Amino acid sequence: MKRGNVKNLEKEKGSGQIISLIVNGEEHPVAVDDRDTLLDVLRNKLSLTGAKEGCGTGECGACTVLLDGQPVLACLTLAVGVVGKKVTTIEGLAVNGRLSPLQRAFIDHGAVQCGFCSPGMIVSATALLSANTKPSREDIQKALEGNLCRCTGYNKIIEAIESVKDQE
């Protein structure tokens, strides 16, 4: 961590401490208060706005990110609790500016309507496919239980995920 970055962070109002987060493969020094959620830090301090705050209570899944490869709700996760762990957001799934096969499948299958839930759905499905390259329809439904969509009715989302598993 560069000392100049620390000096700038120390000037932020309300900064309880400076932590280092590994987000999408890059280390970021961030000034946080003990009560700052990972979602707040991602969106407001790192300008990673893919994860959304839909409910703020962990009911909708719009804020889902990967923490050491496992899906977590960033609105319920304290930023100070993820120091030393790898955080992956929807932005981190693209490689060299190219969408991941799952991101592309969501577009190709019309699984994106308003787009608000899409990042959480894609992140949850990414975790599923990392653990199980040939999930059943029931496995997919179970993996998406914590993600709500008000637009598509889930069929196109499930079809998009199934199309990627069939490519393996």
Side-chain angles (χ1 to χ4, degrees):
M1 183 181 328
K2 295 178 183 171
R3 184 68 190 149
N5 289 341
V6 173
K7 285 182 183 177
N8 291 337
L9 291 171
E10 289 170 346
K11 293 177 184 176
E12 288 187 23
K13 289 186 177 181
S15 299
Q17 60 184 305
I18 298 169
I19 61 172
S20 182
L21 298 179
I22 302 167
V23 181
N24 298 331
E26 295 182 17
E27 188 172 352
H28 299 273
V30 185
V32 299
D33 286 325
D34 290 341
R35 68 184 182 280
D36 286 345
T37 66
L38 179 57
L39 182 62
D40 292 333
V41 171
L42 291 172
R43 292 183 61 80
N44 301 326
K45 297 190 179 190
L46 299 181
S47 298
L48 295 169
T49 58
K52 310 289 189 235
E53 182 167 3
C55 66
T57 61
E59 298 292 323
C60 72
C63 66
T64 304
V65 298
L66 298 179
L67 189 60
D68 287 340
Q70 298 300 309
V72 298
L73 301 171
C75 75
L76 298 181
T77 304
L78 293 176
V80 295
V82 302
V83 173
K85 298 178 181 177
K86 294 177 184 172
V87 178
T88 305
T89 67
I90 187 75
E91 292 92 345
L93 297 181
V95 178
N96 296 324
R98 295 180 55 91
L99 297 178
S100 73
L102 186 57
Q103 289 171 308
R104 173 56 48 204
F106 265 62
I107 294 167
D108 292 346
H109 286 82
V112 178
Q113 295 278 318
C114 78
F116 196 82
C117 72
S118 298
M121 293 278 188
I122 292 169
V123 168
S124 292
T126 297
L128 169 66
L129 292 170
S130 291
N132 179 358
T133 59
K134 300 283 187 188
S136 66
R137 189 170 188 89
E138 293 76 28
D139 293 334
I140 295 169
Q141 290 170 331
K142 179 110 176 108
L144 298 179
E145 281 180 349
N147 297 85
L148 301 179
C149 176
R150 297 175 188 216
C151 301
T152 67
Y154 299 95
N155 285 330
K156 291 181 179 188
I157 293 168
I158 293 169
E159 289 168 8
I161 297 166
E162 287 177 328
S163 76
V164 173
K165 77 161 186 161
D166 291 338
Q167 292 175 8
E168 298 293 320

